[in-house]
Every structure is written in C-alpha cells, then in structure tokens.
Amino acid sequence: MGKIIDATTIKFLLVGVINTLVGTSVMFLAYNLLGCSYWVSSAANYVVGSVVSYVLNKYFTFQNRERSVKIILKFIVNIGCCYLIAYGAAKPFVRWLLRGYSVKLQDNGAMVVGMCLFVILNYLGQRYFTFKKEEK
C-alpha cells in the first residue's frame, strides 16, 4: 500500500482538486443552466478537464518528459475507458437507487457518483498505464 499512497498520490489529488473545480463547473453549468443532456454535460466535463489533467499530471504529478504521440494516445484511451465505465455504471445504479425521484435529481446524483468512480479509475490508469515509469 505504501507504493500506491505516496508523494505522487498527493500530487495527483492536488491536481484533481483543480481539475474537479474546472470540470465540475463546466458539467453542472452545462446541465443545469444550458439544458444540455446528462451525456453532453458529463462529456464536456471530461473534455475540458482532460486538457487540464494531462498537462498538470504529465509535468507536475508524474514528471514525465517523454514527447510522443504514444503518451497522448494512452492518455486518451485511459480517459475514455474510465469515463465510459464510471458514468455508464453510475447512471443505472443511481436511477435504481433514487427511483421515484425526479430525473434531474437522479442525473445530478449519477454525475456525482460517476465523478467519484472516475477519479479512482483514472488515478490507477494514469499511474500504471499512461505515465508508468519504464523500468530500465
């Protein structure tokens, strides 16, 4: 457990706070003020947030100086998989959990649950797949 929770974990969490403030603002504003759908709103969160996340995690958290298309593609694959798994699982679960409540409440709840799942999956994916240090 010591290798999972270390200085890198703390840096990832700090970047996550910044990323969450930016992305969550975009998501809830898109859904509640602009009237965008669940999927469009949550996707907007991750499009905007992914740019912030990539730059901060690549250079600050994981201190990866590699310049290659491979890293960008791995990042995109990781984000895409985490997004689909987290939000795909969150929506039916929260709809079931909050059945009888308004769709708006269900969708907002699903976005919160999806965010939580996404953070966990994304950390593991970035640390052990996208920015994994190559052993020499």
Side-chain angles (χ1 to χ4, degrees):
M1 196 64 162
K3 287 190 168 197
I4 293 176
I5 300 175
D6 56 10
T8 301
T9 308
I10 302 304
K11 287 180 180 181
F12 185 84
L13 293 172
L14 290 172
V15 168
V17 168
I18 295 166
N19 193 46
T20 298
L21 290 172
V22 172
T24 304
S25 296
V26 168
M27 179 172 64
F28 286 115
L29 288 171
Y31 185 80
N32 293 299
L33 293 179
L34 300 177
C36 296
S37 72
Y38 170 85
W39 289 108
V40 169
S41 300
S42 62
N45 176 0
Y46 289 98
V47 169
V48 171
S50 291
V51 173
V52 173
S53 176
Y54 178 80
V55 172
L56 293 177
N57 280 318
K58 180 176 182 3
Y59 295 105
F60 173 68
T61 306
F62 299 106
Q63 299 176 355
N64 182 292
R65 301 294 183 233
E66 182 180 338
R67 292 179 180 257
S68 75
V69 173
K70 180 181 173 185
I71 289 282
I72 294 169
L73 292 175
K74 286 169 79 173
F75 184 83
I76 291 168
V77 166
N78 180 62
I79 292 292
C81 289
C82 292
Y83 170 77
L84 291 172
I85 293 167
Y87 282 85
K91 189 163 183 166
F93 172 72
V94 174
R95 283 257 165 109
W96 169 80
L97 188 67
L98 298 178
R99 63 190 175 279
Y101 290 92
S102 73
V103 171
K104 192 165 191 158
L105 179 65
Q106 291 174 357
D107 283 351
N108 277 285
M111 286 188 279
V112 170
V113 171
M115 275 187 340
C116 295
L117 291 172
F118 180 88
V119 167
I120 295 164
L121 295 172
N122 185 38
Y123 173 71
L124 295 172
Q126 284 194 45
R127 182 159 189 172
Y128 297 109
F129 173 68
T130 304
F131 299 117
K132 181 179 179 186
K133 291 188 181 353
E134 300 296 324
E135 294 182 27
K136 296 177 184 187

